[in-house]
Amino acid sequence: MDRLEIKPAQRLSGETSVAADKSISHRLAMIAAVAEGVTTIHNFAESVDCQSTLECLRNLGVHVERDGSTVTIHGRGLHGLERSSRVLDAGNSGTTVRLMSGLLAGSPFETTFVGDESLSRRPMKRIIEPLRQFGAAIEARDGNYLPLRIRGSNLDAINFTLPIPSAQVKSCVLLAGLQARGVTKVHEPVVSRNHTEIALAQFGARIRNMANTIEVKGGGTLRGKEFSVPGDPSAAAFFIAAALAVPNSGLRLTGIGLNPTRTGYISLLVKMQARVAITRLSVVNGESIGDVGVEASEIEGMDIGGSWIPNIIDEIPVLAVLGTRSQNGIRIRDAAELRAKESDRIHSVAKNLRALGADVEEYPDGLFVPGGQRLHGGVVDSFGDHRIAMAFAVAGLFADGPVAIQNPDCVNISFPGFFDLLSRVRE
Ligand code: S3P
């Protein structure tokens, strides 16, 4: 599809689940591949990114079965991956290439990763440096970009302080540490999502999670087991924003992952007086899960930066869109990382908001979206970026006229069926 038009909505209502968590699905599949025995993962993400991970694992000799949304992985043990006869294509998925590079750093053969145009522009030096410290040989185009060639070997544990808050880099180091001699220590000045730590503990890895430092002991045996993946809070974020912004809405999102390293978006909205409530909270496979109820609300707006940013990194585009509806505007700082995502998300958001008649101030590390602005209809670009397409679908629901999104199919990267689901809950 070249273009999709989203018309203004009367209200959103009803109850729905959302796409399964992409971050957790990637991790469970990868760790299962190096565990002993069989792992069954229910509600595995159908996102194209997670399919990239499964396909790469198959090329590394892992037997993967899929029955509806249940994925079964036959683990090959810690050093059991096999050399792939072809290059591994990570598609659009940074998580696939960055985490799997950690797994492959300890595998004694050569692997080459390629990806699509967007992924080929994204920085890889951040994982190359720690993996070299472990002892892996790794090369990249201009030292920083795909194609990435890894020659794995015997690794020695490292002490590593993350120069930027990044769960992908942290996870890469932990997965390499799993295969290294000794205890690998990762220090993260700002806490980022901790799904890798949780999943490793679930599989029986010797891992200790202490405030900002994580330790993993290499060797040992991981054991396959049964998992169920919660709904992705970053997918829920679009429906939360839509229900807040469209008057008279009331929506209930069920089975949403509520790991505290991912709930910054909800916390900030509540601070801004949004009517968002969590119910039926429980813990499944070490991950918090619950329902999220949302009612249309006026939000105050605020300045957001510092340690909030890693927790809300994927929600910033939709938060910025919501900023137009706030009383005082939303200002984001300390988020230069947004420029290294699937698109330059600061630029993509600012350009699209302006195309809908909004004022936006762009900073090198963020943006300011003044409040109390009405959006008019218009044409926006997804920039091939799933979160930009979904953020501006939300804008279309509360703009004064229809919003046409160019290249909307990229939503499949994290949320196949997003537009159908949106049509189901809107009037
Ligand atoms: C992810 C971490 C974040 C996030 C991405 C998924 C993960 O990236 O933006 O969508 O699954 O670890 P960084 O770790 O690069 O910030």
Side-chain angles (χ1 to χ4, degrees):
M1 203 189 322
D2 285 346
R3 183 189 265 221
L4 180 73
E5 192 176 83
I6 304 287
K7 294 199 173 70
Q10 296 299 315
R11 64 192 286 254
L12 279 82
S13 61
E15 182 174 305
T16 183
S17 56
V18 300
D21 194 285
K22 182 158 89 72
S23 291
I24 296 177
S25 297
H26 281 299
R27 287 158 168 80
L28 292 180
M30 288 187 212
I31 301 170
V34 294
E36 304 282 344
V38 175
T39 295
T40 307
I41 312 169
H42 302 289
N43 196 35
F44 188 86
E46 287 177 8
S47 64
V48 171
D49 271 8
C50 292
Q51 303 322 304
S52 297
T53 283
L54 294 184
E55 205 40 45
C56 289
L57 291 176
R58 286 192 179 104
N59 282 315
L60 293 164
V62 182
H63 182 45
V64 179
E65 293 165 297
R66 179 156 208 157
D67 179 10
S69 63
T70 298
V71 165
T72 304
I73 298 194
H74 298 259
R76 298 192 57 102
L78 206 47
H79 296 283
L81 297 178
E82 278 175 10
R83 181 178 181 281
S84 170
S85 56
R86 57 180 79 168
V87 298
L88 298 186
D89 188 354
N92 190 249
S93 177
T95 309
T96 303
V97 64
R98 293 192 178 125
L99 270 61
M100 217 177 277
S101 296
L103 271 193
L104 289 167
S107 301
F109 49 77
E110 194 170 290
T111 308
T112 301
F113 275 107
V114 295
D116 72 3
E117 203 189 311
S118 152
L119 189 57
S120 302
R121 284 195 302 265
R122 296 179 64 189
M124 297 297 152
K125 203 175 186 165
R126 52 185 64 193
I127 58 157
I128 294 175
E129 284 175 349
L131 292 180
R132 282 191 180 141
Q133 288 179 30
F134 273 109
I138 175 158
E139 279 160 48
R141 177 173 52 91
D142 297 333
N144 198 14
Y145 302 102
L146 298 182
L148 192 72
R149 206 164 63 216
I150 304 170
R151 175 171 282 286
S153 57
N154 291 331
L155 306 179
D156 288 309
I158 65 169
N159 279 341
F160 190 72
T161 297
L162 291 173
I164 41 159
S166 164
Q168 294 181 352
V169 177
K170 171 177 64 174
S171 303
C172 171
V173 173
L174 291 174
L175 292 175
L178 199 59
Q179 304 157 77
R181 269 185 305 254
V183 176
T184 291
K185 292 187 186 153
V186 189
H187 179 68
E188 54 173 355
V190 183
V191 173
S192 61
R193 65 190 70 188
N194 62 0
H195 304 302
T196 304
E197 296 88 309
I198 291 174
L200 282 172
Q202 290 283 315
F203 279 96
R206 294 171 293 181
I207 182 159
R208 292 209 300 160
N209 204 346
M210 299 152 297
N212 296 57
T213 302
I214 305 115
E215 291 183 1
V216 65
K217 188 160 190 227
T221 305
L222 307 183
R223 301 247 170 251
K225 58 180 275 194
E226 194 162 351
F227 289 91
S228 186
V229 179
D232 197 323
S234 303
F238 302 103
F239 287 86
I240 294 173
L244 287 177
V246 177
N248 304 316
S249 296
L251 199 58
R252 186 181 181 80
L253 305 168
T254 56
I256 307 301
L258 293 169
N259 177 318
T261 62
R262 300 284 298 281
T263 48
Y265 173 75
I266 292 178
S267 306
L268 288 171
L269 289 173
V270 169
K271 273 183 193 290
M272 290 189 252
Q273 305 306 322
R275 288 188 288 171
V276 180
I278 290 172
T279 50
R280 296 202 326 136
L281 195 62
S282 65
V283 176
V284 178
N285 304 129
E287 292 282 356
S288 300
I289 177 168
D291 292 352
V292 181
V294 195
E295 286 173 46
S297 318
E298 280 262 333
I299 59 165
E300 283 173 354
M302 70 189 288
D303 287 1
I304 305 167
S307 59
W308 282 107
I309 298 300
N311 196 309
I312 61 163
I313 192 76
D314 292 336
E315 287 72 75
I316 292 174
V318 74
L319 206 47
V321 167
L322 214 42
T324 60
R325 295 293 269 191
S326 66
Q327 285 161 25
N328 308 318
I330 290 184
R331 190 186 317 274
I332 305 283
R333 298 307 304 245
D334 307 319
E337 262 302 288
L338 288 176
R339 296 199 184 273
K341 295 292 176 189
E342 287 83 328
S343 70
D344 172 345
R345 287 186 176 157
I346 296 174
H347 172 78
S348 309
V349 166
K351 186 145 190 217
N352 282 345
L353 281 176
R354 287 181 189 128
L356 302 179
D359 278 338
V360 189
E361 195 179 342
E362 202 178 314
Y363 312 123
D365 65 343
L367 34 71
F368 176 55
V369 182
Q373 307 195 71
R374 292 216 64 90
L375 298 179
H376 59 57
V379 180
V380 296
D381 195 346
S382 71
F383 294 90
D385 182 335
H386 53 130
R387 299 203 199 278
I388 298 299
M390 292 187 277
F392 283 88
V394 172
L397 297 174
F398 66 81
D400 290 336
V403 170
I405 304 166
Q406 285 178 308
N407 300 316
D409 291 340
C410 56
V411 299
N412 295 332
I413 286 297
S414 64
F415 200 157
F418 170 78
F419 292 113
D420 290 340
L421 198 55
L422 202 56
S423 330
R424 282 224 305 277
V425 296
R426 63 166 290 170
E427 286 162 31

